[in-house]
């Protein structure tokens, strides 16, 4: 054991002896006791000033925060934390995935951290219910998978979002979308077109949905529905945020996205925003779009805009047995626009396609491309050169005219 690790073990043992677990102890009191113990241990053996600061920080994080993960959560450049068991941690920083140089001291410590996280989110995870979605107090999204499902678990995945949500101006500066396309989408949102955002994992769907929501007129009543709350809508006073609930050991039944969508229809919404459609709730979302709730927004996993339509068909069939022609008519009538995003090989996130749904004809949903991303190769640093190019004009302009737009 190194001199530093020995000092850390002794300080932790002395501190646990001093702590009165029968009463609440605030952060400052813990920090004061830590400082005292570090001063005492420093007299017994040589520790540099840097090592003393590190010792105090690591022990405070271990006792009061999320242990070795706290350092990562405070680093705004870290966007994803992937814990594959106590001794294997990977992070995504500035678009690059690398292995983290620290590890948990034991499996039990990692399990304690996981229980601490899910308890604060009012969720339960254990061997009988080994999968859970939750969120941290800073809004970061959390997914947990325990054994026996995770063979090398516990598995903990945390996706961090920026403190201030990324708006369309920021996306423009990053090259994710062009000014022309952004202005076009602004008109569509304000004119209450129903818009679906599709893309793969990590393509920026939630970020883009947040940015689009910035175009919603502030006087409208908006209801957001999510599995775990991630959306950060700003500037809307009449905002209702709903979140699903899992069943728990106390007998509380689960509250699903389907139930929340149906409940939201009785809350006089101007718009309904569903963070992500994954299953049978697609039928409720499409029916809401078809019953006068124009301007609704949602996201879904898909490889392309056309693939999103096929996935919606499949998800609707999971919730209701309907003939395929009837499903396609519902989708064609409800969804106006699909925006497809992609994560490029240079780790940038771009709008790849904007597609208009023209209608149902000949047993198929007819679509027309409005914007397409055209790649022009790579520069000397491997960055993709390309831009979003207009490929067609909007056919259904009725909502634009009703809203007084050009």
């Amino acid at each position: 054991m190194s001199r530093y690790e020995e000092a850390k073990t002794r300080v932790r043992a002395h501190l646990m002896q001093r702590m009165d677990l029968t009463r609440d102890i605030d952060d400052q009191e813990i920090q004061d006791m830590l400082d005292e113990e570090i001063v005492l241990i420093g007299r017994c053996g040589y520790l540099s000033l840097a090592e003393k600061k590190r010792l105090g920080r690591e022990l405070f994080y271990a006792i009061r925060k999320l242990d070795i993960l706290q350092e990562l959560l405070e680093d705004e450049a870290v966007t994803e934390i992937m814990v594959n068991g106590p001794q294997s941690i990977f992070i995504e920083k500035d678009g690059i995935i690398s292995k983290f140089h620290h590890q948990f001291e034991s499996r039990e410590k990692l399990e304690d951290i996981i229980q601490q996280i899910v308890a604060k989110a009012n969720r339960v995870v254990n061997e009988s219910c080994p999968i859970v979605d939750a969120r941290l107090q800073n809004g970061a999204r959390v997914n947990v998978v325990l054994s026996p499902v995770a063979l090398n678990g516990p598995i903990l995945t945390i996706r961090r979002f920026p403190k201030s949500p990324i708006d369309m101006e920021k996306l423009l500066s990053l090259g994710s979308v062009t000014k022309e396309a952004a202005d076009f989408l602004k008109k569509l949102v304000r004119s209450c077109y129903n818009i679906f955002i599709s893309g793969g994992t990590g393509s920026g769907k939630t970020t883009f949905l947040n940015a689009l929501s910035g175009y919603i007129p502030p006087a409208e009543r908006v209801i957001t529905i999510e599995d775990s709350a991630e959306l950060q809508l700003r500037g809307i006073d009449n905002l209702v945020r709903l979140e699903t609930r899992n069943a728990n050991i106390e007998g509380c039944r689960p509250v699903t996205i389907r139930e929340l969508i149906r409940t939201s229809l009785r809350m006089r919404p101007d718009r309904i925003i569903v963070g992500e459609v994954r299953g049978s709730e697609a039928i409720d979302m499409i029916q809401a779009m078809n019953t006068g709730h124009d301007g609704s927004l949602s996201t879904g996993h898909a490889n392309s805009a056309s693939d999103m339509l096929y996935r919606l068909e499949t998800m609707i069939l999971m919730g209701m047995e309907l003939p395929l022609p009837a499903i396609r008519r519902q989708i064609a009538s409800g969804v106006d626009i699909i925006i497809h995003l992609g994560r490029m090989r240079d780790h940038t996130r771009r709008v790849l396609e904007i597609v208009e749904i023209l209608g149902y004809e000949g047993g198929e949903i007819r679509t027309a491309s409005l914007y397409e991303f055209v790649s022009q190769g790579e520069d000397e640093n491997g960055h993709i050169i390309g831009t979003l190019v207009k490929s067609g004009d909007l056919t259904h302009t009725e909502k634009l005219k009703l809203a007084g737009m050009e």
Side-chain angles (χ1 to χ4, degrees), residues 145-294:
V145 184
L146 301 182
S147 62
V149 175
L151 302 182
N152 62 328
I155 307 299
L156 172 66
T157 309
I158 301 174
R159 174 170 295 180
R160 294 184 65 250
F161 299 97
K163 289 183 179 179
S164 55
I166 295 176
D167 58 14
M168 197 60 74
E169 291 299 320
K170 179 65 174 177
L171 292 177
L172 286 169
S173 69
L174 293 171
S176 298
V177 65
T178 62
K179 181 71 165 62
E180 179 188 3
D183 289 341
F184 173 66
L185 293 174
K186 180 178 181 179
K187 290 180 180 180
L188 296 185
V189 172
R190 292 194 170 179
S191 302
C192 292
Y193 281 72
N194 292 321
I195 299 175
F196 237 95
I197 301 169
S198 67
T201 300
S203 60
K205 298 184 294 298
T206 302
T207 298
F208 202 85
L209 178 57
N210 255 321
L212 272 188
S213 300
Y215 293 145
I216 296 175
E220 293 190 9
R221 177 171 172 80
V222 178
I223 297 178
T224 66
I225 299 170
E226 302 173 83
D227 266 331
S228 55
E230 300 171 17
L231 295 173
Q232 299 171 287
L233 275 61
R234 301 292 175 90
I236 299 174
D237 291 332
N238 199 349
L239 174 65
V240 177
R241 304 177 69 207
L242 303 178
E243 184 181 56
T244 61
R245 184 185 69 186
N246 295 338
N248 62 31
I249 56 176
E250 296 173 354
C252 292
R253 68 177 186 82
V255 179
T256 66
I257 284 185
R258 293 198 67 174
E259 290 179 88
L260 293 179
I261 292 175
R262 290 196 290 266
T263 295
S264 71
L265 299 177
R266 305 186 188 99
M267 300 170 71
R268 203 265 178 220
D270 289 312
R271 297 177 194 251
I272 299 170
I273 299 177
V274 178
E276 183 179 343
V277 172
R278 299 177 186 167
S280 58
E281 66 272 8
I283 181 61
D284 301 286
M285 184 69 194
I286 296 299
Q287 286 181 343
M289 290 177 170
N290 277 311
T291 52
H293 297 89
D294 285 337

Side-chain angles (χ1 to χ4, degrees), residues 80 82 90-99 343 347:
E80 197 102 23
M82 296 158 276
F90 290 83
I91 62 172
E92 182 184 54
K93 187 172 184 178
D94 299 323
I96 306 296
I97 295 177
S98 60
K99 191 166 185 177
R343 184 171 182 179
H347 307 295

